[in-house]
C-alpha cells in the first residue's frame, strides 16, 4: 500500500512539493545505467519477455554464488510470497507470522484460504520466536520471518534464529523475508542465504524495490532449494517479470558498489534520525532497515495527519505506531521539524 501521492498533497497544501516517507523507497533515483537499459528494452516491447528469465536468474545466481536452478523471480517479492503460499497451503492450513509485520501477509494468507496465525511482537517490537515456535501446529505449512521486520525495523539474531529453525519440522517452509537485508549493519543478524541456504525448508526472499531502486518495475526474487524454486517457477504468472524489468535488473546488478554506497548513506541518516527522534519519542527501537518506527499507539493517526499538514507523508498504523522511511538529509530534517511540531 503505497501511501498518498506527494503531488496531490502538495496541491492541497499549496506547496511547491511534498515529501513522501511512506513506502520505504531509497531516495536517490534509479541506479546509473538503469534508465538507458530501460529505454533500450522498450524498443522490443511488442515481443514477449524471456519466459524463463534465464539471463537475470543467471546474473542473480552469480551475484549470490548459487546455482540458477535455485532462483525464481516474480512481479515483486510480494508476488513470490503469494506464490509460495499457493504452493504450500490448502484452505484451512496455517501461515504463521509475527504481528505487527508486513501488511501484505494477512492478505496473502486470506487469498489462499489459509488461516493466519499471528504471534504478537515482544515489548521491544521484535519477533517473539519462542512463542512462534510454540504456535506451530500440524496445520502449519508456512512461516514468515521478516528480518529486519517491516514496520518496526527490529531484527532476529543468529543464535535465536538457529534455535527457532531447529524447532521447525522439516516439512514446514520457513520464508526469511529479507526485503531490507542490504541495510543491515549488525553482524549478529544473519544473512539468511549464507547462514541457512543449505536447509531445504528455508526460502530467502529478496527484492530489488528497496536498495536496488526498482520499486516501480516490480522485481523480486527468491533463493531456495532447487525443488522449491522449480515449483514456484511453475506457478508464477507467465511473463510477470516483464522485459523492461529484466533489462533494468540486469543493469542494476552491475552497480553493486553504488548500492553499497547508497545504503551507507541511508544507514548514516537512519542513525541520525533515530537519535534525534528519540528526544521526542524515547522508546523508538533501533532499526536495521531504511525506516524507523515510532510506537505512538492510539496517537499514530493524529501524528500522521499532523505531519501531512506540514507536507510530510509518513505511514501510520493506528493503534500501533508510525513508520517513517529514511530519505535524503533534507527530507529527514523536514520530517524531524514536522514531528517536533506534531508532538
Ligand atoms: C518485508 C517486505 N517484504 C516484501 C516487500 C515487497 O516488496 P516488492 O513486492 O516491492 O518486491 C516489502 C515491501 O514493502 C516488504 O516490506
Amino acid at each position: 500500500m503505497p501511501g498518498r501521492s506527494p503531488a496531490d498533497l502538495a496541491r492541497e497544501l499549496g506547496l511547491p512539493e511534498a515529501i513522501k516517507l511512506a513506502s520505504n523507497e531509497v531516495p536517490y533515483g534509479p541506479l546509473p545505467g538503469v534508465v538507458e537499459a530501460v529505454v533500450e528494452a522498450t524498443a522490443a516491447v511488442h515481443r514477449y519477455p524471456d519466459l524463463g528469465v534465464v539471463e537475470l536468474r543467471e546474473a542473480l545466481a552469480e551475484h549470490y554464488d548459487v546455482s540458477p536452478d535455485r532462483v525464481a523471480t516474480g512481479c515483486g517479492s510480494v508476488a513470490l510470497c503469494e506464490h509460495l503460499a499457493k504452493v504450500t497451503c490448502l484452505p484451512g492450513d496455517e501461515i504463521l507470522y509475527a504481528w505487527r509485520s508486513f501488511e501484505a501477509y494477512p492478505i496473502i494468507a486470506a487469498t489462499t484460504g489459509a488461516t493466519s496465525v499471528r504471534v504478537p511482537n515482544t515489548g521491544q517490537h521484535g519477533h517473539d520466536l519462542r512463542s512462534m515456535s510454540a504456535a506451530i501446529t500440524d496445520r502449519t505449512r508456512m512461516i514468515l520471518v521478516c528480518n529486519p521486520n517491516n514496520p518496526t525495523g527490529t531484527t532476529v539474531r543468529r543464535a535465536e534464529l538457529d534455535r527457532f529453525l531447529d524447532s521447525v519440522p522439516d516439512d514446514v517452509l520457513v520464508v526469511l523475508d529479507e526485503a531490507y537485508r542490504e541495510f543491515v549493519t549488525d553482524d549478529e543478524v544473519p544473512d539468511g542465504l549464507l547462514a541457512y541456504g543449505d536447509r531445504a525448508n528455508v526460502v530467502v526472499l529478496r527484492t530489488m524495490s528497496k536498495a536496488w531502486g526498482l520499486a516501480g518495475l516490480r522485481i523480486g526474487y527468491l533463493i531456495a532449494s532447487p525443488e522449491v524454486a522449480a515449483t514456484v517457477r511453475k506457478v508464477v504468472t507467465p511473463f510477470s517479470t516483464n522485459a523492461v524489468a529484466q533489462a533494468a535488473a540486469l543493469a542494476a546488478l552491475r552497480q553493486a558498489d553504488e548500492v553499497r554506497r547508497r545504503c551507507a548513506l541511508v544507514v548514516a541518516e537512519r542513525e541520525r534520525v533515530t537519535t534525534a527522534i528519540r528526544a521526542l519519542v524515547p522508546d523508538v527501537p533501533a532499526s536495521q532497515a531504511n525506516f524507523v518506527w515510532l510506537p505512538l499507539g492510539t496517537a499514530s493517526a493524529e501524528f500522521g495527519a499532523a505531519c501531512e499538514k506540514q507536507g510530510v507523508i509518513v505511514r501510520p498504523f493506528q493503534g500501533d505506531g508510525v513508520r517513517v522511511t529514511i530519505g535524503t538529509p533534507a527530507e529527514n530534517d523536514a520530517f524531524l521539524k514536522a514531528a517536533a511540531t506534531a508532538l
Side-chain angles (χ1 to χ4, degrees):
M1 282 135 274
R4 68 173 299 189
S5 137
D8 286 352
L9 180 63
R11 239 187 327 274
E12 191 181 304
L13 297 173
L15 295 171
E17 59 179 9
I19 294 168
K20 184 182 170 207
L21 300 177
S23 298
N24 299 342
E25 297 135 337
V26 167
Y28 304 112
L31 287 161
V34 164
V35 171
E36 292 79 355
V38 165
V39 169
E40 199 183 319
T42 57
V45 292
H46 58 301
R47 303 282 182 204
Y48 281 103
D50 170 17
L51 178 65
V53 200
V54 172
E55 198 182 347
L56 177 57
R57 283 178 39 238
E58 281 175 358
L60 285 164
E62 193 184 324
H63 187 79
Y64 291 106
D65 195 19
V66 296
S67 73
D69 64 346
R70 296 184 57 196
V71 181
T73 67
C75 182
S77 61
V78 76
L80 288 169
C81 194
E82 214 175 308
H83 300 320
L84 285 163
K86 199 156 116 186
V87 299
T88 51
C89 292
L90 290 170
D93 287 340
E94 293 172 356
I95 300 183
L96 175 65
Y97 50 90
W99 198 252
R100 188 169 273 281
S101 190
F102 182 32
E103 65 263 34
Y105 297 160
I107 301 166
I108 287 168
T111 53
T112 356
T115 302
S116 271
V117 177
R118 302 180 185 189
V119 175
N121 287 336
T122 65
Q124 288 73 46
H125 312 288
H127 285 41
D128 180 348
L129 286 182
R130 272 180 211 279
S131 300
M132 285 177 73
S133 183
I136 296 171
T137 72
D138 56 9
R139 301 306 304 264
T140 310
R141 302 268 42 95
M142 183 164 111
I143 303 174
L144 295 153
V145 175
C146 190
N147 197 29
N149 187 44
N150 175 12
T152 61
T154 53
T155 49
V156 290
R157 288 178 152 181
R158 175 79 200 229
E160 54 179 332
L161 195 48
D162 282 355
R163 261 196 310 275
F164 176 73
L165 290 174
D166 287 344
S167 80
V168 177
D170 290 345
D171 60 349
V172 174
L173 205 65
V174 181
V175 180
L176 301 178
D177 185 345
E178 297 185 336
Y180 302 97
R181 173 67 210 173
E182 292 86 348
F183 306 104
V184 171
T185 50
D186 177 350
D187 292 341
E188 292 290 309
V189 178
D191 174 317
L193 186 58
L194 298 179
Y196 309 113
D198 58 342
R199 296 194 186 217
N201 68 331
V202 169
V203 176
V204 176
L205 193 59
R206 302 261 178 107
T207 180
M208 301 200 77
S209 296
K210 313 295 180 183
W212 298 86
L214 294 179
L217 281 174
R218 316 300 302 121
I219 302 252
Y221 55 97
L222 61 76
I223 301 177
S225 70
E227 292 74 21
V228 170
T231 306
V232 170
R233 287 197 301 271
K234 277 182 205 154
V235 303
V236 139
T237 309
F239 306 112
S240 58
T241 309
N242 72 67
V244 177
Q246 290 187 36
L250 284 164
L253 281 173
R254 287 182 215 113
Q255 296 292 329
D257 288 345
E258 175 62 8
V259 169
R260 269 189 289 278
R261 192 187 71 83
R262 291 177 176 202
C263 288
L265 295 176
V266 170
V267 165
E269 279 296 288
R270 173 182 81 200
E271 303 313 315
R272 183 178 76 88
V273 170
T274 301
T275 305
I277 198 68
R278 276 181 179 158
L280 300 167
V281 187
D283 48 353
V284 168
S287 171
Q288 284 285 299
N290 67 333
F291 50 82
V292 291
W293 175 246
L294 281 51
L296 291 172
T298 52
S300 302
E302 199 183 329
F303 176 85
C307 287
E308 271 195 18
K309 276 203 187 108
Q310 298 169 80
V312 181
I313 305 167
V314 295
R315 178 68 67 86
F317 296 93
Q318 179 58 358
D320 281 354
V322 179
R323 191 191 70 202
V324 185
T325 305
I326 299 300
T328 62
E331 290 171 340
N332 301 331
D333 284 343
F335 160 68
L336 290 169
K337 192 160 157 248
T341 308
L343 292 165

